[in-house]
Amino acid sequence: SGHLFDRQIQYPIWEPTQAKLQHWVADLGVGGVILLGGSGAEISLRCQQLQNWAEIPLLMAADIEEGVGQRFAGATWFPPPMALSAIAKTNPTLAVELAEKMGEITAQEALQIGLNWVLAPIVDVNNNPQNPVINVRAFGEDPATVIELTSAFIKGAQKQPVLTTAKHFPGHGDTAVDSHLDLPVLTHSSTRLAEIELPPFQAAIASGVDGVMSAHLVIQAWDDQLPATLSHRILTGELREKLGFSGLIVTDALVMGAIADRYGANEAPVMALEAGADILLMPLDPPGAIAAIEEAVKIGRITPERIRESVKRIWEAKAKLSENSAQLCDLASPESEAVVQQILQASQSVYHSVPLPIPTPEQKLRNLIVVDDALTVDYLNLQAPAITYPKQRGYHLEISDRHTPKNLDLNSSSHYSATLLQLFIRGNPFRGSAGLTPMAQTWFKHLLEAKELQALVIYGSPYLVEQFLPHLPPEIPCIFSYGQMPTAQAIALETLFP
């Protein structure tokens, strides 16, 4: 993690202690680190520490699909990429311009804190509303929009000496299973793949993307036995040979259930290397994976030439990173924040009449916030607009999540005359679902029946709005924002309140 001390480890199953990590980097020659968590200042120190341990400069990667601030506090946090596709429906020129700025700012801030590999953009076409893992992380629901916006993102990022990554090959957009938990299977024909899934990858390659990340899913038309990450037919046959990609092929995280649970912690890395991968991302047991690969070379299962091919590509990528000096920038500068606000305002949707009428002194008002897990959200704190804006207007705060008792007596709290219902719901990796949580459904239904619902604000997935609106009376306003971060909350509630 970006945190500096062992006591701050957040994912003990996967995250090594300081001493173990130093051993892996300094002694075993691990070539890169993927980072998550901490502040911009912490991550800068952490990256320096890691590079000092390494004999050969490391690839420092992060899943910063929504800007550096998505993972590291204090930097610019953009709304999810699907917000840009909403803008593209009415102003495609503006959407492309904003996507390019998003790529450039992300790359600038990444370099500022020591990262050199941006694991973005997602070029999957999210044409399945039930997709639990891609969802709003995608730049759109059709290939043309995804191509335009991801090409612009790559163009923006290329203004800085960072690596970019198109993911997840050959397309994770039409799945209803989260590959972090299980193995999705796609039954699409080769013709369908060529029409929908592959064009964005072809465009990314043409735009000069540095890496392509594999998807942990079975593509029956190409290989009905092995997932793409472990399939020579797919990584080498389709991506390397047919599409002519000469850059880095990186696996998606090998700790994910779709791979680790089925193929083994040390066998999967060997199979991925055989399939054509250059970089093995997050093997469950790095020392074991290294030993397994060394053994595979010793017994002739993998040739030294195959190893050299990947080493050459990695060396060329690392050389590119040292060719040019980065342009220094401030994290979350006013200019960057202005881009965030522009995207949020242009993509926000307002239904029914706003603003709300000014409350009378005798009204008892409630601000009810529903989240998936209040213990893990990083967009809510005592200063978050979702809490402070209603508080300033006399609303009493309640927060409900999966830990709220299921036998909660909703009627016991119905002494309120009006409730503002704020829902934070979107698809996220490891959650397994992109749909409504039972808690959100229960509260919405109860507040309607009690005639207590004053307004509805949804932060996250546009697919949920479509499920609520048919049941929402026309006198009750609804605001939807793709973003969940404090800036998104402020813009939405400034629209709602007078």
Side-chain angles (χ1 to χ4, degrees):
S1 80
H3 301 299
L4 296 171
F5 306 107
D6 288 347
R7 63 179 177 272
Q8 294 174 293
I9 283 175
Q10 294 177 310
Y11 305 96
I13 297 176
W14 303 328
E15 188 176 348
T17 61
Q18 190 95 321
K20 186 179 290 185
L21 179 58
Q22 183 171 3
H23 168 61
W24 290 355
V25 171
D27 303 324
L28 299 186
V30 163
V33 179
I34 182 170
L35 293 125
L36 174 67
S39 67
E42 285 178 297
I43 199 72
S44 181
L45 292 171
R46 185 70 148 151
C47 289
Q48 290 176 28
Q49 177 192 62
L50 291 164
Q51 293 288 18
N52 289 338
W53 289 344
E55 181 179 353
I56 296 171
L58 297 169
L59 293 175
M60 308 296 288
D63 285 305
I64 41 179
E65 303 157 3
E66 299 167 26
V68 174
Q70 177 192 11
R71 303 295 184 193
F72 309 108
T76 303
W77 188 356
F78 289 98
M82 193 172 280
L84 291 166
S85 72
I87 299 171
K89 291 174 182 176
T90 56
N91 193 338
T93 302
L94 176 61
V96 168
E97 177 187 323
L98 292 171
E100 185 174 339
K101 287 181 179 178
M102 181 177 173
E104 182 177 7
I105 292 166
T106 299
Q108 280 182 329
E109 293 194 354
L111 287 169
Q112 184 69 19
I113 62 174
L115 301 172
N116 53 28
W117 193 2
V118 176
L119 296 178
I122 281 184
V123 303
D124 301 314
V125 180
N126 194 82
N127 48 23
N128 185 340
Q130 299 304 314
N131 194 320
V133 62
I134 303 302
N135 207 269
V136 293
R137 297 164 65 201
F139 279 84
E141 301 170 315
D142 64 272
T145 301
V146 172
I147 287 170
E148 280 227 276
L149 298 178
T150 55
S151 296
F153 181 97
I154 292 168
K155 180 181 177 182
Q158 286 173 338
K159 296 177 183 178
Q160 303 294 325
V162 300
L163 303 181
T164 52
T165 313
K167 55 190 191 183
H168 309 82
F169 186 83
H172 208 316
D174 193 11
T175 63
V177 173
D178 183 352
S179 54
H180 294 79
L181 304 174
D182 204 350
L183 184 64
V185 177
L186 287 187
T187 58
H188 299 321
S189 67
S190 295
T191 301
R192 148 67 193 249
L193 292 169
E195 291 174 351
I196 305 295
E197 277 74 21
L198 294 184
F201 286 97
Q202 293 169 306
I205 292 169
S207 296
V209 75
D210 302 286
V212 171
M213 181 180 287
S214 66
H216 297 335
L217 45 82
V218 172
I219 310 292
Q220 289 187 330
W222 286 349
D223 189 335
D224 60 2
Q225 299 297 314
L226 294 172
T229 295
L230 308 181
S231 171
H232 186 274
R233 295 184 199 174
I234 295 176
L235 295 192
T236 298
E238 297 292 337
L239 177 55
R240 191 69 83 194
E241 295 173 357
K242 288 189 180 179
L243 296 189
F245 179 61
S246 59
L248 293 172
I249 297 178
V250 56
T251 70
D252 205 344
L254 294 175
V255 298
M256 288 161 57
I259 298 297
D261 294 347
R262 291 169 180 263
Y263 298 96
N266 297 330
E267 175 64 11
V270 176
M271 294 175 70
L273 192 57
E274 287 179 310
D278 299 303
I279 292 181
L280 308 169
L281 183 66
M282 290 178 66
L284 199 58
D285 173 19
I290 291 171
I293 291 167
E294 289 177 343
E295 180 63 21
V297 173
K298 287 177 185 176
I299 65 175
R301 179 178 173 183
I302 295 175
T303 66
E305 290 74 26
R306 171 67 192 86
I307 298 292
R308 290 192 193 101
E309 288 174 12
S310 288
V311 170
K312 181 174 183 291
R313 281 189 279 266
I314 294 168
W315 194 260
E316 289 171 348
K318 291 187 174 184
K320 173 184 174 180
L321 298 175
S322 61
E323 286 175 2
N324 303 298
S325 59
Q327 301 172 15
L328 298 182
C329 68
D330 293 328
L331 296 184
S333 68
E335 294 77 15
S336 299
E337 286 302 305
V339 176
V340 173
Q341 291 183 28
Q342 190 175 8
I343 296 173
L344 287 167
Q345 288 170 336
S347 62
Q348 179 175 276
S349 297
V350 179
Y351 305 92
H352 307 160
S353 179
V354 293
L356 287 173
I358 297 174
T360 58
E362 65 273 9
Q363 280 186 295
K364 293 183 179 179
L365 305 171
R366 170 170 53 182
N367 172 27
L368 177 59
I369 296 175
V370 179
V371 298
D372 186 46
D373 188 343
L375 297 175
T376 60
V377 296
D378 50 8
Y379 45 77
L380 283 180
N381 56 44
L382 291 178
Q383 305 308 317
I387 293 174
T388 60
Y389 277 44
K391 182 179 179 181
Q392 292 165 4
R393 292 159 175 82
Y395 286 75
H396 171 75
L397 174 65
E398 288 187 16
I399 297 178
S400 181
D401 72 351
R402 68 167 73 173
H403 304 294
T404 302
K406 291 184 172 57
N407 60 352
L408 178 69
D409 183 4
L410 302 181
N411 292 313
S412 66
S413 59
S414 61
H415 58 279
Y416 292 100
S417 53
T419 293
L420 164 64
L421 179 60
Q422 298 189 74
L423 305 178
F424 290 81
I425 304 176
R426 59 170 280 185
N428 275 309
F430 289 105
R431 193 179 130 186
S433 171
L436 291 175
T437 63
M439 186 64 69
Q441 288 176 306
T442 300
W443 271 116
F444 179 71
K445 182 180 178 183
H446 167 73
L447 293 172
L448 280 181
E449 291 175 350
K451 300 189 183 306
E452 190 185 320
L453 184 61
Q454 182 190 36
L456 175 65
V457 184
I458 301 173
Y459 307 93
S461 173
Y463 303 116
L464 301 183
V465 180
E466 299 167 6
Q467 298 179 47
F468 280 114
L469 276 181
H471 308 286
L472 197 66
E475 68 273 12
I476 299 177
C478 174
I479 295 176
F480 167 71
S481 175
Y482 282 90
Q484 296 185 322
M485 72 287 284
T487 306
Q489 300 166 26
I491 290 173
L493 294 177
E494 284 167 2
T495 305
L496 184 64
F497 289 119

